[in-house]
Amino acid sequence: MELIQKATPVAMLVFVLSSMLAMGLDLTVGQIVAPLRNARLVVLSLLLNFVLMPLGALALAAQLRLDQPLGVGLLLLGAAAGAPFLPKLAQIAKGNLAFGVGLMVLLMVVTVGYLPLVLPSLLAGVTVNPAQIARSLFLLMLLPLAGALAVKAYFVDVAARTKPLLDRLSNLGLIVLVLLITVANVNNVLAVFGTRGILAGLLFIAIGFVAGWLLGGPDTSTRRVLALGTAQRNIAAALVVGSQSFSDPKVVVMVVVVAIVGLLILMPLSRRLANVTTI
């Protein structure tokens, strides 16, 4: 078990870096920015991720009478958007990949400033270090993406040859990561049974997906991305805050459990969406 726990962050690192590099080698800055010029779509994306999801987490915690640490963990996920898995889910679902990458970057950047401002007002005694969140997101996601975009812009042949290798590495990293997270946290998942925590996680994911789909606009490829991007939260940012600001381990356990549930639901759902023309 100790070996699995040590291997998990390595698998996460491999997956995130290879995914960001592969996305950057496949797109241009113009392609990423273009979907974000739709002001209505951007505003709706921000409202869904930074208003609806936190309020949804609070409402579910109250209605299901979750233990306070579990409710806090759910709220952390509600306030943390811009999941590194989003471009991969968008790719699997045959959604608008450029919008997926652009939305991920937008949500990540807003999350860095949003968490320190909002969480202390919702949770008494909580302090959030925005510099630490920003540093991890910048080094692991934004910097590799920017570097790959530069390679695509100036060395097209190199990008074309390298991308298939990174795609295979990203797919392998994702499979290994999901397996490691699931195996390493079996006891944590079992501990949440009987607390309504898993039910809260399922409803939380469903709220995000349905709301994103309904408000994603007339383009099916964009609706797929916003639905997946709203349902899948920024697990890394939530874990950073949860581990630093709370002494009760149940807070982090709730984040991990909902993360596992989300991946187990959204991965096959993405594949299902790829085979559906209309819903």
Side-chain angles (χ1 to χ4, degrees), residues 28-39 41-42 96 98-99 102-103:
T28 65
V29 174
Q31 288 174 317
I32 295 174
V33 173
L36 300 181
R37 290 174 180 159
N38 185 333
L41 190 59
V42 169
N96 187 324
F99 176 57
L103 181 63

Side-chain angles (χ1 to χ4, degrees), residues 142-157:
L142 298 182
L143 187 61
L145 178 61
L149 287 169
V151 172
K152 173 65 181 296
Y154 295 102
F155 305 99
V156 178
D157 291 340

Side-chain angles (χ1 to χ4, degrees), residues 17-212:
L17 287 178
S18 59
S19 295
M20 293 303 100
L21 291 171
M23 299 303 167
L25 294 177
D26 192 45
L27 298 169
T28 65
V29 174
Q31 288 174 317
I32 295 174
V33 173
L36 300 181
R37 290 174 180 159
N38 185 333
R40 176 183 176 276
L41 190 59
V42 169
V43 170
L44 286 174
S45 299
L46 294 175
L47 289 176
L48 285 172
N49 281 278
F50 297 110
V51 177
L52 174 67
M53 295 307 286
L55 291 178
L58 289 172
L60 286 172
Q63 290 298 317
L64 296 177
R65 299 179 182 177
L66 295 181
D67 293 343
Q68 185 178 19
L70 301 184
V72 170
L74 193 64
L75 178 58
L76 290 181
L77 287 167
F85 297 98
L86 176 55
K88 177 58 68 176
L89 293 176
Q91 185 181 49
I92 294 172
K94 295 183 180 178
N96 187 324
L97 181 57
F99 176 57
V101 176
L103 181 63
M104 177 199 69
V105 173
L106 173 66
L107 296 180
M108 281 196 306
V109 172
V110 175
T111 292
V112 172
Y114 180 83
L115 288 177
L117 290 175
V118 174
L119 284 182
S121 65
L122 297 176
L123 299 170
V126 175
T127 57
V128 180
N129 185 346
Q132 184 157 2
I133 298 174
R135 183 169 58 250
S136 62
L137 295 179
F138 176 78
L139 292 176
L140 293 179
M141 301 176 73
L142 298 182
L143 187 61
L145 178 61
L149 287 169
V151 172
K152 173 65 181 296
Y154 295 102
F155 305 99
V156 178
D157 291 340
V158 174
R161 290 196 301 268
T162 307
K163 184 184 180 300
L165 298 176
L166 290 170
D167 280 335
R168 287 194 288 271
L169 183 60
S170 173
N171 292 334
L172 178 61
L174 179 59
I175 294 171
V176 173
L177 178 61
V178 172
L179 290 175
L180 289 175
I181 289 177
T182 303
V183 172
N185 292 279
V186 168
N187 292 333
N188 291 335
V189 175
L190 294 177
V192 176
F193 276 99
T195 64
R196 296 181 292 276
I198 292 179
L199 175 60
L202 289 170
L203 293 174
F204 179 72
I205 294 165
I207 288 172
F209 184 87
V210 172

